Amino acid sequence: MRHLETLRFRVGRRGAALLFFALLDVIYAASLLSAPTSGPYRFLAAILPLAAWASLWAAVGILCAVQAFLPSDRAAFAAAMLIKVVWGMVQLAGWLIGDLDRGYVSAAVWLALAAFVHVISGWPEPARRGR
């Protein structure tokens, strides 16, 4: 239990958020590696191969994981926002041109999550209490 408390003290709340985004992005990357290139994924694969999409998501996840432990985390928050905005806009474009039946739903989820990342990125780290 003490190790978890030490980790929480070391990464802080912003770092904890980045670790959450790291986990989300890496899991999403893994899901894209096993996704079929048919159905809704056909549209995405026409833009970039799913392995390339997965690489982008994984790179962002790794950056978030690394910068969670560093004093400077701006690049991780920016990348976490960017990948979600790009993904949301691609989903929205797919819906608008008729290739993704319910792409507006995915677009709303990913764009809202990107906005949430933006909000968190502006929060200062709370002052740490002495021991």
Side-chain angles (χ1 to χ4, degrees):
M1 187 59 105
R2 182 160 166 78
H3 295 295
L4 287 176
E5 187 66 26
T6 302
L7 178 64
R8 187 174 67 84
F9 182 77
R10 179 168 179 162
V11 301
R13 291 183 179 168
R14 291 170 60 88
L18 285 175
L19 290 175
F20 167 78
F21 297 130
L23 179 64
L24 174 75
D25 294 353
V26 168
I27 289 173
Y28 205 72
S31 77
L32 289 171
L33 289 175
S34 62
T37 54
S38 60
Y41 294 101
R42 183 185 61 212
F43 176 75
L44 300 165
I47 296 169
L48 259 172
L50 293 180
W53 282 116
S55 296
L56 291 171
W57 279 96
V60 171
I62 292 166
L63 178 63
C64 288
V66 169
Q67 287 204 339
F69 296 93
L70 300 177
S72 176
D73 57 14
R74 295 180 82 184
F77 276 109
M81 280 185 276
L82 181 62
I83 191 70
K84 289 159 188 64
V85 167
V86 167
W87 196 250
M89 296 306 289
V90 166
Q91 301 288 325
L92 185 61
W95 174 67
L96 288 172
I97 65 173
D99 280 357
L100 294 177
D101 185 34
R102 296 176 48 84
Y104 69 95
V105 176
S106 290
V109 169
W110 288 110
L111 293 172
L113 187 55
F116 186 59
V117 174
H118 178 69
V119 169
I120 293 171
S121 74
W123 287 349
E125 193 63 51
R128 295 183 180 174
R129 294 182 232 186
R131 292 185 171 202

